Amino acid sequence: MHKEFLMGNQAMALGALAAGVDVVAGYPGTPSTEILDTIAKRNPGDVYVEWSVNEKSALEVAAGASYAGARSLVTMKCVGLNVAADPLMSLEYIGVKGGMVIVVADDPGPISSQTEQDTRTFAQFSKVPCLDPSGVAEAYAMMGDAFELSEKYHTPVFLRPTTRVDHGYEAIDVADPDEYQATSPEGFVKDASRWVIFPRLSVRAHADIERRNAELSHELSGYARNRIDWERGHGDAAPKDDAAAMGARTSRKAIATHGINYTYVRDNLAEGECRVLRVATPFPFPDDLALDFLQGVDEVLCVEELDPVIERALVALAGRRHLDVAVRGKLTGDVKPSGENSVEYVGGVIDKFLGRGEGRAALAADPAVGAAEPPQLPVRPPVLCAGCPHRASFYAVKRAMRGKKTIFCGDIGCYTLGNAHPLDMCDTCLCMGAGINIAQGVGHVEPDTHCFAFVGDSTFFASGITGVVNAFYNQANMTLCVLDNATTAMTGHQPHPGTGWTAMGQKVTPVSIERVLRAIGLTTVETVDPLDLEATARTVARVDAEPGVKAIIFRSPCVFLYRPSAQSHVDPARCVGCQRCVKQLGCPALVPQADGRVAIDGSQCTGCTLCEQVCPTGAISGGVRV
Amino acid sequence: MSEASVTTVTPQAAGEKDGAMRADIVLCGTGGQGTVLASRLLATAAMQHGLPVKTAETIGMAQRGGSVFSHVRIGEGVAGPMIGRGRADLLIAFEPAEAVRQLGFLKPGGTVVASNRAVVPVSAMTGGPAYHLDEVMSYLRTTVDRLVVVDAADAERELGSAKVLNVLLLGAAARTGAIGFTVEDVGRAMHACVPERFWELNDRALAYSERYV
């Protein structure tokens, strides 16, 4: 054992290595990405690790490994589970041999996701057991617990941290590499009655799963991480039986919570102030423990993020057992229905629930600020980096299509930021790969609209290709714009099938986007350097005018992948202060000065030359295109 | 905010037992400014004193030039990594508007160490709310009693690099006594976290922070 200061995601990675994981597969997505990154970095050498093409592939690769008796780990973000849902739902019926843990990182807020979906609810739907860690040390330990549980019951198991656990850091004890558990997978043993899903097998498996989960609910009530803090607590000073004597009965109150919210609750309670149930296994729910917790309690506050999972479970228990207890939370309006909780928000909710009055709530409401009115602050949404080739691609298309009736369907990645002013080049964004199909749908309704779909290179491989096949075969009219920056940029530069390297560090043959498109049947597949503005805009105008499905690949590397060789400079004598560059491009390296002229921020400029090409007076020069 | 009851943590003498030290620190700035490394340095200093420490970082889309923050919680009796509003002992701001944005986290009587160099977002140049640095600075000056303003332009001229702002801010913060660490503690943590070829520059930045006593 040794101590390391680790991010929750790194802790889960080391937990999996300590548990002797054999095969790891995942698709990047905030806040989950560092788990697999860390396994690739800390690989003792005998672990197979891959960035899969998408979450469905990852889960299926892991399932195969698990069929062969190996321990497998799959990592993804919350919405990634939607992509992996198809194999998951069936896999729960088939079951696994080697332990299989699926980490799904949920994102209350949401901070970096499209939805606020709750994997605890997905666990109920898919019937897959789920562990919910409250911190870094626990995330590490739960990884081992999850593998044990998976092998004992032959089921995949969810481990579902949320952002503040994923990206929280703590110094924790972790195993040395020579302490890592050794596994020796038996290999795949043919048995069609076990591994081939048929209706006959499914109905039997369904019954087995329900029986097992009922059994698991009992077992998990004894799981040490499901626990009650402070048996005695709020209101116990006035026992129920003496209530009449006291004139007015003091209500006995308790709090039920989970995950990072458990730390918010604890940081807002004095020692022993109130009985607290911490639910570490939201599914199967630890009914027995929860009944102990409800014993003698009049009111329970459920402090949860995302869905009211604990609240519903307690309401159901109270109903089934005819308990006289008021269950409060999201369903009763005591806790907000959406968004991320915070220490002070939870403090305020607890103050109200316990009748603590002004105390801490007042502290939370008074942000240490005096009477002075705060000044107007600039808004700071994330933006495309200085020199980002996506800016050039969007600008070229915008310029080429000016005055025409268009729709620009966007997708998931850095290039979603093309929606911001002044580019305004993202009319729709739904989910990975959706833009390509949405463009077709709009085109079927509005044949006079020029339909464009923008998709990144990683997203193209993840779920864009089927959309192109659909468009081509079903006779759509659209222009596909693949923004190929040679990496999965938004999540921190993971490889994808177009990059030519793998998570194992191998150099491999990249999959050619052009050849994939030509193989589908597209006859117009143009590749351009988006930093050459004139040529790119000309190509866009020409390709747009062609009928059918055609593609343009905008190829230029992400600015994180190279060291710029030169930077642009503004000649103050020639700059007339029109700020056309600033207003057209919105590049963070272009900074207007007090006199209206523009200067270039040397700490950001990559010398991409886009502003040089936009400047009407030729005042900017010096950059060199990569 | 002119409370007399200031309860900042006092620095621990070397070798003294640090068990009683508790400090909640919020760092803020814009994506790419180096708040994550600064929070790492504070955590390392805490661990070098044998103190428990928990931190929380902004990782993801906001790193593309958005508002970012780190929370650092040092000492015993801390359940989670997040600091509640109105509860931080110290706010270290890499950017003045971000200092104002996160000021609500500061407890009454808390300390603010802030760079005075504005990072003007694209939105302020393309029709969004404007950035008035003078208003931002005067608000900080009138609202915060214990305010240390670090002149980033001066420091860059003097030190020949803008990349040491994080270590400079930590040095200035240490000199306020608000985190219980000395400048030497920050130096030790820096040596543990940063490649040796950058030590000289960062050591100079720490020495330079003396003017903010």
Side-chain angles (χ1 to χ4, degrees):
Chain A
M1 280 298 214
H2 65 282
K3 224 178 212 14
E4 277 193 57
F5 186 64
L6 295 170
M7 181 195 282
N9 281 343
Q10 296 169 325
M12 284 182 276
L14 296 190
L17 291 176
V21 72
D22 301 292
V23 169
V24 184
Y27 188 77
T30 310
S32 72
T33 313
E34 298 84 3
I35 305 169
L36 201 141
D37 275 340
T38 302
I39 289 184
K41 231 173 271 168
R42 304 283 291 261
N43 190 349
D46 56 352
V47 179
Y48 173 78
V49 49
E50 74 168 39
W51 280 119
S52 305
V53 73
N54 61 26
E55 294 85 352
K56 172 174 153 72
S57 292
L59 196 134
E60 289 158 354
V61 167
S66 168
Y67 287 3
R71 282 194 163 184
S72 66
L73 173 70
V74 194
T75 73
M76 63 192 71
K77 67 181 296 172
C78 51
V79 289
L81 184 56
N82 305 336
V83 179
D86 196 5
L88 175 73
M89 296 303 291
S90 302
L91 182 64
E92 176 55 12
Y93 278 55
I94 287 288
V96 298
K97 188 159 86 178
M100 178 169 172
V101 178
I102 306 167
V103 180
V104 185
D106 283 351
D107 185 14
I111 302 167
S112 311
S113 307
Q114 305 99 291
T115 68
E116 282 202 300
Q117 61 188 82
D118 193 327
T119 299
R120 297 179 302 159
T121 300
F122 217 119
Q124 296 172 334
F125 173 52
S126 61
K127 308 181 194 301
V128 172
C130 179
L131 305 183
D132 185 5
S134 291
V136 177
E138 193 166 70
Y140 176 83
M142 273 188 177
M143 183 61 86
D145 297 345
F147 274 112
E148 298 291 326
L149 200 61
S150 170
E151 277 173 10
K152 183 169 174 190
Y153 290 97
H154 306 291
T155 173
V157 171
F158 281 130
L159 179 57
R160 67 78 80 168
T162 56
T163 306
R164 302 302 176 196
V165 172
D166 292 299
H167 292 162
Y169 281 79
E170 238 177 276
I172 63 164
D173 290 318
V174 295
D176 300 328
D178 60 8
E179 295 169 313
Y180 289 173
Q181 215 169 308
T183 57
S184 45
E186 179 197 23
F188 182 74
V189 179
K190 291 191 185 206
D191 180 355
S193 70
R194 178 167 181 191
W195 302 117
V196 181
I197 197 159
F198 269 120
R200 198 157 30 96
L201 179 148
S202 297
V203 71
R204 197 178 63 226
H206 186 185
D208 289 345
I209 291 166
E210 299 298 349
R211 197 161 37 239
R212 178 205 73 203
N213 281 345
E215 201 181 301
L216 253 178
S217 166
H218 288 298
E219 182 178 328
L220 292 172
S221 280
Y223 178 50
R225 298 183 193 284
N226 282 319
R227 66 159 198 259
I228 299 170
D229 292 348
W230 308 317
E231 283 294 341
R232 289 175 61 81
H234 194 270
D236 279 0
K240 263 185 177 174
D241 301 341
D242 299 344
M246 298 212 21
R249 205 179 88 174
T250 304
S251 179
R252 288 195 206 186
K253 296 178 178 179
I255 296 173
T257 187
H258 71 118
I260 195 71
N261 282 269
Y262 172 69
T263 72
Y264 301 161
V265 168
R266 287 293 303 251
D267 276 332
N268 277 293
L269 289 177
E271 187 73 23
E273 189 176 351
C274 177
R275 188 187 293 182
V276 175
L277 172 68
R278 201 277 299 270
V279 178
T281 61
F283 184 81
F285 195 78
D287 286 351
D288 303 346
L289 183 75
L291 283 169
D292 287 349
F293 165 75
L294 291 176
Q295 211 55 245
V297 168
D298 299 309
E299 278 182 89
V300 179
L301 174 69
C302 299
V303 178
E304 297 183 76
E305 266 171 344
L306 305 178
D307 291 344
V309 170
I310 298 171
E311 189 179 354
R312 286 196 175 113
L314 294 184
V315 167
L317 264 183
R320 203 183 312 142
R321 298 299 183 100
H322 304 289
L323 301 179
D324 183 14
V325 56
V327 180
R328 302 186 174 285
K330 287 171 179 268
L331 299 173
T332 54
D334 292 79
V335 176
K336 60 183 179 177
S338 69
E340 188 186 16
N341 291 341
S342 65
V343 180
E344 69 275 5
Y345 175 75
V346 169
V349 172
I350 293 177
D351 284 346
K352 205 169 149 210
F353 177 65
L354 296 182
R356 293 197 302 202
E358 296 297 303
R360 289 159 202 253
L363 184 67
D366 167 27
V369 167
E373 190 68 21
Q376 170 190 273
L377 292 179
V379 294
R380 215 181 280 282
V383 291
L384 294 171
C385 300
C388 176
H390 298 333
R391 177 179 293 104
S393 303
F394 284 128
Y395 187 69
V397 176
K398 186 176 184 173
R399 180 184 269 195
M401 300 311 295
R402 191 166 292 150
K404 297 206 166 97
K405 188 180 174 197
T406 52
I407 183 164
F408 303 117
C409 298
D411 222 292
I412 308 284
C414 284
Y415 53 99
T416 315
L417 301 177
N419 77 320
H421 197 61
L423 290 172
D424 300 313
M425 282 295 288
C426 181
D427 295 325
T428 69
C429 180
L430 187 66
C431 66
M432 292 283 289
I436 298 170
N437 294 308
I438 289 172
Q440 299 162 45
V442 170
H444 293 314
V445 179
E446 299 177 17
D448 59 335
T449 298
H450 299 256
C451 299
F452 284 76
F454 292 87
V455 68
D457 42 356
S458 188
T459 307
F460 174 79
F461 288 112
S463 52
I465 295 171
T466 48
V468 184
V469 175
N470 191 69
F472 178 78
Y473 188 74
N474 289 310
Q475 306 299 300
N477 281 298
M478 63 172 289
T479 303
L480 172 70
C481 299
V482 183
L483 305 178
D484 180 5
N485 63 356
T487 188
T488 316
M490 180 57 95
T491 49
H493 307 95
Q494 291 72 29
H496 62 67
T499 60
W501 60 287
T502 72
M504 296 292 282
Q506 301 151 298
K507 275 189 76 91
V508 296
T509 308
V511 178
S512 157
I513 297 172
E514 283 92 335
R515 286 166 67 181
V516 168
L517 292 173
R518 289 200 182 279
I520 289 170
L522 275 64
T523 49
T524 299
V525 179
E526 300 276 351
T527 300
V528 296
D529 173 3
L531 297 178
D532 183 347
L533 181 57
E534 274 312 317
T536 300
R538 266 199 315 274
T539 304
V540 171
R542 178 166 47 79
V543 170
D544 168 69
E546 293 180 21
V549 181
K550 55 271 170 185
I552 306 169
I553 297 161
F554 299 76
R555 180 162 291 143
S556 185
C558 173
V559 294
F560 283 90
L561 299 184
Y562 65 95
R563 191 179 288 272
S565 58
Q567 294 188 324
S568 301
H569 300 281
V570 178
D571 177 356
R574 296 174 76 178
C575 177
V576 295
C578 70
Q579 295 191 8
R580 183 181 157 86
C581 53
V582 173
K583 289 177 194 146
Q584 299 270 308
L585 302 176
C587 174
L590 296 167
V591 186
Q593 304 298 291
D595 64 1
R597 284 184 290 198
V598 173
I600 284 174
D601 175 358
S603 72
Q604 298 196 62
C605 179
T606 65
C608 78
T609 76
L610 186 61
C611 57
E612 299 178 16
Q613 299 171 64
V614 167
C615 178
T617 64
I620 316 177
S621 63
V624 174
R625 280 198 338 244
V626 281
Chain B
M1 266 250 327
S2 48
E3 308 285 322
S5 58
V6 175
T7 51
T8 43
V9 181
T10 49
Q12 307 286 321
E16 196 182 330
K17 180 128 179 54
D18 306 283
M21 182 181 153
R22 271 281 298 112
D24 286 343
I25 305 160
V26 173
L27 300 103
C28 63
T30 70
Q33 278 195 308
T35 50
V36 177
L37 176 61
S39 125
R40 182 70 194 250
L41 293 179
L42 287 173
T44 303
M47 288 186 289
Q48 287 173 341
H49 277 254
L51 293 164
V53 57
K54 293 185 163 102
T55 75
E57 307 292 352
T58 311
I59 294 167
M61 194 151 69
Q63 286 176 299
R64 303 272 178 270
S67 299
V68 297
F69 65 78
S70 299
H71 288 189
V72 180
R73 307 196 69 194
I74 298 169
E76 300 285 351
V78 170
M82 303 298 287
I83 298 168
R85 290 179 79 80
R87 301 185 193 181
D89 301 288
L90 170 67
L91 175 65
I92 301 177
F94 286 57
E95 206 282 340
E98 295 310 307
V100 174
R101 208 188 301 280
Q102 302 291 335
L103 201 55
F105 278 93
L106 198 66
K107 71 180 187 189
T111 304
V112 175
V113 176
S115 161
N116 67 351
R117 175 180 280 171
V119 177
V120 181
V122 168
S123 68
M125 310 173 208
T126 55
Y131 191 144
H132 300 293
L133 178 61
D134 45 344
E135 287 176 22
V136 165
M137 292 310 299
S138 85
Y139 180 76
L140 285 175
R141 289 209 168 88
T142 54
T143 326
V144 182
D145 286 343
R146 296 170 154 248
L147 173 70
V148 176
V149 176
V150 169
D151 191 319
D154 254 13
E156 183 175 349
R157 257 194 311 278
E158 197 88 5
L159 297 165
S161 169
K163 295 203 189 295
V164 287
L165 181 64
N166 46 17
V167 168
L168 176 58
L169 287 168
L170 293 186
R175 289 176 198 277
T176 66
I179 39 174
F181 296 137
T182 62
V183 173
E184 292 70 36
D185 290 333
V186 176
R188 245 192 318 280
M190 183 269 292
H191 290 174
C193 296
V194 168
E196 198 170 342
R197 63 181 186 280
F198 299 122
W199 289 5
E200 192 267 338
L201 177 63
N202 282 295
D203 283 330
R204 274 200 292 127
L206 286 177
Y208 176 85
S209 70
E210 196 186 351
R211 70 181 51 204
Y212 295 112
V213 173

